[in-house]
């Protein structure tokens, strides 16, 4: 929590970095997450260029203010108590450009849109990303992948801001990309830009692959409701969705959150769920699968923020 006496001071300093429309006070994060979950951020900041990002990071360091980076929340649950301090969103950084066989995309761009840009220029290599709902920054953060492809297959370079607010250009190898992981959270990097190395291909062939993957995704995944996508990592030797299905958990709900009847690996926000309800369904699934099959399901989705404070009881 920003100390009350410093709140106005921090706000004014943020206004000196970016415009008033890019700094919101007590903003509900459910308005900015794919899952439509999350309490308030003390200060929600949306910089418009790299220098503003650097200056916000440096300000947070100088003033000793808690600082959190938020993508579009497609693989993230923000708790109902929200997030203290400054929450930084890069949603205004979404330019995508093509240079020969390379695509340069800013971190706030949707990775789906990057795959569509590749298609428009008949570049092959990003077809797998045509159904991934996250941003470019989030895709690098977790080395997103689908249908046999992943970010590390096509990324060659990235531009980041480090914990000190310094701008760095790193090779893909320097991110230690592995199955749904990278060293980005450990290093405290903020991804500003990704540079992808693709190959020239045939437009019709690329489109055919993307159409097929889109059809497979739409026919199997509950896209009609907000969700965080696939909740659990694949346990060795098993499929998470099959374990959940065989545990008779599909359709189980707590409040507005439900294990999808369409795809057991998804938990959907079916009716204005709270983050507490959504997390409770995750924990129910983990307990039940552990009891029935002695398999521990590890979350792929990240959970951040604070619990909602309980109201004081009146005797």
């Amino acid at each position: 929590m920003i100390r009350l006496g410093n709140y106005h001071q921090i706000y004014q300093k943020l206004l000196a970095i970016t415009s008033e429309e890019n700094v919101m006070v007590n903003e509900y994060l459910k308005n900015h997450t794919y899952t439509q979950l999350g309490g308030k951020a003390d200060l929600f900041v949306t910089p418009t260029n790299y220098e503003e990002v650097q200056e916000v990071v440096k300000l947070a360091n100088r003033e000793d203010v808690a600082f959190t980076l938020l993508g579009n929340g497609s693989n993230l649950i923000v708790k109902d108590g929200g997030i203290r301090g400054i929450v930084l969103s890069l949603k205004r950084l979404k330019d995508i450009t093509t240079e020969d066989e390379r695509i340069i995309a800013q971190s706030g761009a949707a990775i789906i849109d990057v795959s569509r840009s590749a298609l428009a220029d008949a570049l092959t290599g990003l077809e797998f990303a045509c159904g991934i709902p996250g941003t470019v920054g989030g895709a690098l953060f977790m080395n997103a992948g689908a249908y046999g492809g992943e970010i590390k297959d096509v990324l060659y370079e990235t531009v980041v801001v480090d914990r000190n607010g310094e701008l760095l250009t790193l090779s893909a190898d320097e991110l230690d990309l592995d199955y749904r992981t990278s060293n980005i959270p450990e290093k405290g990097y903020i991804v500003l830009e990704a540079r992808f190395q693709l190959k020239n291909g045939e437009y019709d062939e690329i489109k055919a692959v993307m159409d097929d993957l889109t059809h497979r995704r739409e026919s199997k995944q509950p896209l009609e409701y907000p969700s965080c996508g696939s909740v659990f990592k694949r346990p060795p030797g098993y499929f998470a969705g099959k374990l959940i299905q065989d545990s008779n958990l599909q359709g189980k709900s707590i409040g507005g959150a439900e294990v999808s009847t369409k795809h057991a690996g998804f938990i959907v926000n079916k009716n204005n769920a709270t983050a507490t309800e959504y997390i409770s369904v995750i924990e129910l699934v983990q307990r039940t699968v552990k009891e029935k099959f002695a398999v521990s399901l590890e979350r792929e989705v990240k959970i951040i923020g604070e619990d909602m404070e309980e109201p004081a009881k009146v005797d």
Side-chain angles (χ1 to χ4, degrees):
M1 176 77 74
I2 298 175
R3 291 185 295 276
L4 191 59
N6 290 344
Y7 203 106
H8 182 70
Q9 179 185 3
I10 300 298
Y11 177 72
Q12 292 299 322
K13 289 183 177 182
L14 286 169
L15 293 185
I17 294 171
T18 188
S19 61
E20 186 173 355
E21 66 180 1
N22 297 324
V23 185
M24 289 176 271
V25 178
N26 290 326
E27 176 70 6
Y28 272 107
L29 294 172
K30 65 183 179 182
N31 297 329
H32 303 279
T33 58
Y34 199 81
T35 52
Q36 297 180 19
L37 302 171
K40 294 178 180 179
D42 289 343
L43 292 163
F44 184 76
V45 186
T46 55
T48 60
N49 57 54
Y50 297 177
E51 184 180 359
E52 287 181 0
V53 177
Q54 291 179 267
E55 291 306 312
V56 172
V57 173
K58 291 174 181 177
L59 172 64
N61 287 339
R62 285 197 307 271
E63 301 292 336
D64 193 25
V65 175
F67 177 85
T68 304
L69 178 67
L70 184 73
N72 72 345
S74 60
N75 194 48
L76 184 74
I77 298 169
V78 178
K79 292 182 178 181
D80 297 315
I83 300 176
R84 305 288 66 81
I86 296 172
V87 174
L88 184 72
S89 166
L90 303 183
K91 65 180 182 179
R92 297 188 189 274
L93 302 179
K94 53 186 180 182
D95 288 348
I96 303 169
T97 57
T98 304
E99 297 178 359
D100 297 322
E101 294 184 347
R102 291 179 171 180
I103 288 186
I104 299 170
Q106 291 186 319
S107 62
I111 192 67
I112 289 175
D113 289 342
V114 183
S115 73
R116 289 170 180 162
S117 291
L119 169 64
D121 290 306
L123 294 174
T124 182
L126 269 171
E127 291 89 333
F128 74 89
C130 68
I132 294 174
T135 61
V136 168
L140 266 65
F141 186 95
M142 65 172 295
N143 185 32
Y147 300 112
E150 54 188 347
I151 289 297
K152 75 173 186 176
D153 298 336
V154 288
L155 183 74
Y156 76 91
E157 203 168 62
T158 182
V159 177
V160 304
V161 169
D162 69 11
R163 288 191 175 103
N164 299 317
E166 299 303 319
L167 207 62
L168 304 175
T169 300
L170 305 174
S171 70
D173 290 342
E174 291 178 274
L175 298 182
D176 295 335
L177 298 171
D178 205 344
Y179 177 67
R180 303 299 178 265
T181 64
S182 72
N183 65 16
I184 292 171
E186 173 194 341
K187 299 284 189 181
Y189 293 146
I190 297 172
V191 175
L192 297 183
E193 183 180 294
R195 300 169 181 173
F196 300 105
Q197 179 66 58
L198 306 177
K199 294 179 180 178
N200 287 315
E202 294 295 328
Y203 178 91
D204 290 342
E205 293 178 7
I206 297 167
K207 187 175 186 302
V209 171
M210 291 175 64
D211 287 348
D212 176 57
L213 295 182
T214 298
H215 172 73
R216 287 160 65 181
R217 177 172 177 264
E218 290 178 348
S219 64
K220 294 179 180 178
Q221 297 181 11
L223 304 180
E224 63 272 28
Y225 297 112
S227 78
C228 58
S230 182
V231 177
F232 304 103
K233 295 181 180 180
R234 180 185 295 177
Y238 298 91
F239 291 96
K242 182 71 163 57
L243 290 170
I244 296 165
Q245 183 177 341
D246 291 347
S247 298
N248 298 316
L249 285 166
Q250 285 182 276
K252 294 290 185 182
S253 64
I254 297 175
E258 179 185 276
V259 179
S260 171
T261 56
K262 192 172 184 179
H263 189 308
F266 284 62
I267 295 171
V268 294
N269 181 353
K270 194 170 183 180
N271 186 22
N272 297 315
T274 65
T276 301
E277 292 167 349
Y278 201 98
I279 293 167
S280 295
V281 174
I282 291 175
E283 293 171 344
L284 170 65
V285 169
Q286 288 175 312
R287 284 197 308 272
T288 306
V289 170
K290 180 71 172 176
E291 289 168 2
K292 287 184 176 288
F293 299 104
V295 176
S296 297
L297 291 181
E298 183 183 352
R299 284 196 329 264
E300 186 171 300
V301 62
K302 311 296 181 188
I303 298 176
I304 64 173
E306 299 188 1
D307 294 315
M308 182 71 76
E309 290 184 9
E310 293 289 336
K313 293 182 179 180
V314 180
D315 294 329

